Amino acid sequence: MHRLKYLMVALALVLIVGGLTRAQSYAAQTNETVSGTNNESVYKAGQTVTITGTVNGDIFCIAQTVTIQATVNGDIICAGQSVTVNGIVHGNVRLAGQSVSISAHVDKAATVTAQTVSTTSTSSIGSDYTIAATTATLDGGVARDIHAVANNLTLASNVGRNVTATVHTLLLKSQSSINGSLTYTSPHKLQQNSGAVVRGPITYHQAAGATPTPSSTAFSWGGVAFRAGVGLSLLISSLILVALFPRMFRRANAIARQHSWPWPELVTGIVAMIAVPIILIVLALLAVTMPLAVLGFFLWSAALLLAAPLAAYYIGRLLFRSGQRSPVLVMLVGGVVLWVLILVPWLNWIVTALAAWFGTGLLLRSLRRLYTRPDYEGS
């Protein structure tokens, strides 16, 4: 109990006095560059991140300015104010930022959440292209479907199958070609330039009431900003926690790594998520057990807050499969990956649920390992 008290006091003080300052100063002083051939995944964070050459693995990065001009034999998961991807990507691309530009050949799918999205005529997406943006200008080729929510959407792409869009304005430029259907919801009918081709049926749903924008859909730009803010707060809190108590995270991670898959932690977390609220409600209904319900509520809230840092540290250790790494670096990489995944539409709810279940289950299993039965006979 003393350690828990000190933990909460220290966390509050550091968050209030120095948390944001430390994170901002770290990012402002770091310019990361990767070149040549890298035979492992790349994890970078700073003010600017520039990656060239060949990466035989995945790229995870977060920076004010991200520039990738490389052959990537894996996935790209990056976030930044300005994100530019060129070259060849033999995997998926997941990007979030204020301005995102893609000129690369992407073998698999692309998912982008940004204020401004553009793909150039040299780009190609090998599977589906999912966009949430204020303004999106799409050129190049898309092998399968486009799913877009935007205020203004301009299409000049060659689309292999269908386009589904919720927009304020939709423009099909003369070089655009949609080989399947076009289904869109908007207060205005589309503008189709001469030469633009839609080979399938065109279905128009007139928007009722307010102009449809990303804020009125599952791709909510405000929702993305909210999740980004919450994710950043959790990332900073997680870094402070692991810096203060690295041994706690190492011990918990060692328990989870005893199995090839963390099924015990997930099952424990799911059961706890169902059972604990029921128990707290029952305790709150009885006057004699009301104090226990209040205490249990605060303890359960603390457990839920620790779930995300534990899950982020576990992800970081999975990515650093070998070698001794600083716990802060492990948490930074795992936290950035978790943060970016939370920004991805549709995927964010799954990731949040899995992180909560796993982190809660890991915490409970760790506490169970630390528990020792009191020796009443020897007292």
Side-chain angles (χ1 to χ4, degrees), residues 89-138:
V89 182
H90 295 299
N92 299 296
V93 171
R94 315 293 186 190
L95 306 173
Q98 181 176 347
S99 174
V100 173
S101 175
I102 299 176
S103 299
H105 173 83
V106 180
D107 282 354
K108 296 184 180 180
T111 302
V112 179
T113 300
Q115 183 174 353
T116 302
V117 176
S118 65
T119 52
T120 67
S121 59
T122 61
S123 68
S124 62
I125 310 297
S127 184
D128 295 338
Y129 193 8
T130 303
I131 306 118
T134 301
T135 301
T137 304
L138 310 183

Side-chain angles (χ1 to χ4, degrees), residues 46-289:
Q47 184 179 19
T48 64
V49 171
T50 304
I51 300 174
T52 60
T54 301
V55 177
N56 294 317
D58 301 325
I59 295 177
F60 302 89
C61 63
I62 179 171
Q64 182 176 347
T65 302
V66 176
T67 303
I68 299 174
Q69 174 71 61
T71 298
V72 183
N73 295 310
D75 297 339
I76 296 178
I77 300 177
C78 289
Q81 184 175 349
S82 174
V83 182
T84 302
V85 179
N86 301 312
I88 300 174
V89 182
H90 295 299
N92 299 296
V93 171
R94 315 293 186 190
L95 306 173
Q98 181 176 347
S99 174
V100 173
S101 175
I102 299 176
S103 299
H105 173 83
V106 180
D107 282 354
K108 296 184 180 180
T111 302
V112 179
T113 300
Q115 183 174 353
T116 302
V117 176
S118 65
T119 52
T120 67
S121 59
T122 61
S123 68
S124 62
I125 310 297
S127 184
D128 295 338
Y129 193 8
T130 303
I131 306 118
T134 301
T135 301
T137 304
L138 310 183
D139 204 336
V142 178
R144 295 195 1 162
D145 301 332
I146 290 179
H147 306 278
V149 174
N151 193 38
N152 302 302
L153 175 62
T154 300
L155 283 179
S157 302
N158 183 1
V159 183
R161 298 200 315 193
N162 308 316
V163 174
T164 304
T166 301
V167 296
H168 178 63
T169 62
L170 173 60
L171 169 62
L172 300 185
K173 300 189 74 173
S174 58
Q175 64 268 41
S176 63
S177 175
I178 301 174
N179 292 308
S181 63
L182 169 61
T183 302
Y184 69 103
T185 300
S186 174
H188 309 290
K189 289 190 175 182
L190 69 90
Q191 303 174 48
Q192 186 173 354
N193 290 350
S194 175
V197 176
V198 180
R199 292 184 170 84
I202 298 177
T203 304
Y204 170 50
H205 300 288
Q206 185 170 11
T211 298
T213 64
S215 62
S216 62
T217 67
F219 294 96
S220 167
W221 180 251
V224 171
F226 173 77
R227 292 196 300 272
V230 172
L232 182 58
S233 300
L234 287 174
L235 177 60
I236 295 173
S237 303
S238 301
L239 291 173
I240 296 170
L241 281 172
V242 77
L244 293 174
F245 304 95
R247 187 175 300 178
M248 177 183 72
F249 286 90
R250 287 198 184 103
R251 288 177 176 175
N253 184 72
I255 294 174
R257 296 296 294 274
Q258 291 176 353
H259 315 280
S260 57
W261 289 92
W263 297 120
E265 288 74 24
L266 284 173
V267 172
T268 301
I270 293 172
V271 172
M273 287 289 185
I274 298 173
V276 172
I278 295 175
I279 294 173
L280 292 178
I281 292 173
V282 172
L283 291 176
L285 293 176
L286 303 175
V288 68
T289 56

Side-chain angles (χ1 to χ4, degrees), residues 283-370:
L283 291 176
L285 293 176
L286 303 175
V288 68
T289 56
M290 177 66 75
L292 286 177
V294 175
L295 177 61
F297 171 79
F298 284 108
L299 291 176
W300 182 241
S301 299
L304 294 177
L305 290 175
L306 287 172
L310 287 169
Y313 190 85
Y314 178 78
I315 293 172
R317 285 306 307 167
L318 285 180
L319 296 174
F320 290 118
R321 291 186 177 90
S322 61
Q324 294 295 325
R325 306 285 183 173
S326 166
V328 175
L329 177 60
V330 172
M331 181 65 80
L332 175 63
V333 172
V336 167
V337 172
L338 189 60
W339 181 29
V340 173
L341 291 175
I342 290 175
L343 295 178
V344 177
W346 295 321
L347 187 61
N348 57 329
W349 298 109
I350 300 174
V351 172
T352 301
L354 289 175
W357 293 337
F358 171 79
T360 304
L362 180 56
L363 177 62
L364 294 176
R365 284 174 57 81
S366 301
L367 293 175
R368 178 65 182 86
R369 294 289 183 92
L370 294 175

